[in-house]
Amino acid sequence: MNFVAKNFGELSLTELYEILKVRSQIFILEQKMHCQDMDGVDFEARHFFIEQNGEILAYLRAFYTDSSKNAVRIGRVLSKTHGVGLGTDIILKSISDIKNNMPCKTICLDSQTHAIGFYERFGFKAISEEFLEEGVMHVKMELEI
């Protein structure tokens, strides 16, 4: 398995296709979310994935929230297989890359409520009440760098 971190312009067409395919598989087909996945953010994002033989097994993207570059938002976090450590690997390696390549004061995310404990293991703290996003309950979380 290989961990890959690339800006949008560095992605190959095959990598981009596989990213969009796995995001559709997990969020639209599996989780039945009704959203516009290709939201224009990908152009400015750094893309992190774990792949094996061209198949993306885990993924997330990170991008600055505004021009001050004080905060990086991560999103579209997914793992095709649960319980084997891929989620932990993608989070730990992505946070390390963000610290080295996207200097910021905080990393923030919107966590599905069932995943709050997962993110707390990495030092994220809930900073909001629950809210509905794309038909799924979420909370805002932050990690101070």
Side-chain angles (χ1 to χ4, degrees):
M1 284 187 273
N2 302 308
F3 172 75
V4 180
K6 292 184 175 182
N7 294 324
F8 184 81
E10 299 169 322
L11 295 170
S12 72
L13 290 176
T14 301
E15 288 169 332
L16 178 59
Y17 179 87
E18 292 299 321
I19 286 168
L20 296 175
K21 184 172 90 173
V22 74
R23 286 180 2 190
S24 175
Q25 177 186 351
I26 299 298
F27 297 118
I28 296 170
L29 297 176
E30 184 180 305
Q31 295 186 1
K32 303 206 184 322
M33 296 176 106
H34 300 285
C35 65
Q36 176 65 41
D37 179 47
M38 292 174 277
D39 56 5
V41 173
D42 291 318
F43 295 115
E44 303 302 321
R46 189 154 174 81
H47 301 267
F48 303 95
F49 53 97
I50 296 173
E51 66 85 25
Q52 185 172 35
N53 300 322
E55 179 184 8
I56 294 180
L57 304 175
Y59 170 85
L60 68 82
R61 70 179 183 184
F63 54 95
Y64 286 108
T65 59
D66 59 36
S67 61
S68 71
K69 297 188 175 182
N70 287 326
V72 168
R73 174 170 291 282
I74 64 173
R76 303 294 198 266
V77 181
L78 66 86
S79 175
K80 284 182 73 173
T81 307
H82 302 287
V84 296
L86 288 174
T88 297
D89 284 351
I90 194 76
I91 294 289
L92 289 175
K93 290 175 179 173
S94 297
I95 289 172
S96 177
D97 186 275
I98 289 167
K99 288 178 180 178
N100 291 325
N101 296 296
M102 300 178 77
C104 61
K105 293 180 181 176
T106 61
I107 299 174
C108 55
L109 59 87
D110 292 348
S111 170
Q112 294 181 7
T113 55
H114 69 84
I116 293 169
F118 172 76
Y119 291 113
E120 286 176 335
R121 293 188 346 218
F122 307 103
F124 284 89
K125 296 184 181 351
I127 60 165
S128 77
E129 297 296 320
E130 291 184 7
F131 61 93
L132 190 63
E133 182 177 7
E134 305 299 346
V136 179
M137 296 305 292
H138 286 74
V139 297
K140 292 187 178 300
M141 300 188 80
E142 281 187 354
L143 171 67
E144 290 188 28
I145 302 296

